[in-house]
Amino acid sequence: MALSNFLEDCLIYRDDDVLVIHKPVGILTINGKDIFDSVLTRLQQLEPRTLLIHRLDRDTSGLLVFALNKAAQSHISKQFQVRSTEKMYHALVEGQLEQDGQVDIPVCYDPSRPPLHIVDATHSKPALTHFKVLEQLELEGQPVTRVELIPVTGRSHQLRVHMQYLGHPIVGDTLYATTQGQTLMPRLCLHATTLSFIHPVTGKTVKFVCPSPF
């Protein structure tokens, strides 16, 4: 995607305070240790006022909000910190997940196997995910389930690790899926479909929806 078309192609909403985009799969939200191309750097080249608020993993697509001034950045960042924003994801997971539920177990970084994360019941910071079954289907003859995921907390790799913990890793996940599950789709089937927060100026709740591409 050419830089000149990036904002035009990805833009969901824009005003004087916030910028909401559809993040493509395969690009970092911010620069990595050795990677100097990201959503933030591309946006800043096109709109220098762009400021980071939250992130999505490189291989996750979907809704991201950025601020266009410090006041908006602080206001919305605090909403994420106190968990007053609403985030919803859609995913395809391996196997037939039969019922709705939640996963309530901490997730932490595994220093022995970077960049993997693991569940660790002794870890001090909680991680909570609600999940809802949407559809049972097949990919290449293999059973998969479309699910709605709502992360109450926002730990790194939380949704991916929690679904693996359930025994239903996300299809296309090169870190946590089974060998077979990695081959069913050419991408991680995790997409941020819905995002709502209180607008920093109007004080009204705004909600954005970006349908899943898979």
Side-chain angles (χ1 to χ4, degrees):
M1 185 182 299
L3 178 61
S4 59
N5 297 328
F6 183 79
L7 184 55
E8 178 181 346
D9 292 345
C10 298
L11 184 65
I12 299 290
Y13 174 82
R14 179 178 183 173
D15 61 23
D16 292 337
D17 303 284
V18 299
L19 188 65
V20 179
I21 71 151
H22 172 192
K23 175 194 164 304
V25 68
I27 180 172
L28 294 170
T29 301
I30 63 172
N31 287 350
K33 182 177 180 181
D34 300 309
I35 301 175
F36 303 101
D37 177 39
S38 65
V39 174
L40 181 61
T41 55
R42 291 187 188 188
L43 290 177
Q44 287 177 335
Q45 290 180 65
L46 299 167
E47 172 49 85
R49 296 181 298 159
T50 304
L51 298 169
L52 180 72
I53 293 176
H54 66 127
R55 310 179 191 185
L56 292 176
D57 289 345
R58 180 193 64 185
D59 295 328
T60 303
S61 57
L63 291 165
L64 274 175
V65 58
F66 293 86
L68 294 176
N69 55 68
K70 288 285 188 180
Q73 182 188 39
S74 176
H75 191 285
I76 302 174
S77 293
K78 288 178 182 177
Q79 294 179 55
F80 275 91
Q81 291 168 10
V82 301
R83 305 172 188 169
S84 63
T85 59
E86 293 186 7
K87 299 174 287 181
M88 184 174 72
Y89 295 72
H90 279 188
L92 292 179
V93 302
E94 296 185 58
Q96 290 189 341
L97 187 56
E98 299 293 343
Q99 59 186 11
D100 307 343
Q102 68 178 32
V103 184
D104 185 4
I105 188 168
V107 172
C108 63
Y109 179 66
D110 183 356
S112 68
R113 298 183 299 160
L116 294 181
H117 288 64
I118 56 173
V119 296
D120 182 353
T122 67
H123 192 64
S124 60
K125 294 183 178 180
L128 175 61
T129 301
H130 297 297
F131 61 89
K132 178 180 180 181
V133 174
L134 300 177
E135 180 185 12
Q136 305 282 1
L137 61 156
E138 289 189 353
L139 286 178
E140 299 183 6
Q142 300 300 314
V144 299
T145 306
R146 186 181 305 277
V147 295
E148 173 186 291
L149 302 174
I150 299 178
V152 178
T153 52
R155 310 303 175 206
S156 293
H157 292 197
Q158 175 178 316
L159 299 179
R160 299 163 72 178
V161 173
H162 273 175
M163 297 316 293
Q164 181 198 41
Y165 175 74
L166 279 183
H168 297 276
I170 298 175
V171 169
D173 192 336
T174 57
L175 294 180
Y176 303 105
T178 66
T179 301
Q180 185 177 60
Q182 293 180 33
T183 65
L184 292 177
M185 288 285 278
R187 59 157 290 174
L188 173 69
C189 291
L190 180 62
H191 180 78
T193 60
T194 306
L195 175 65
S196 67
F197 55 89
I198 297 171
H199 192 280
V201 173
T202 68
K204 296 181 179 180
T205 298
V206 290
K207 181 178 181 180
F208 302 95
V209 177
C210 183
S212 171
F214 48 79

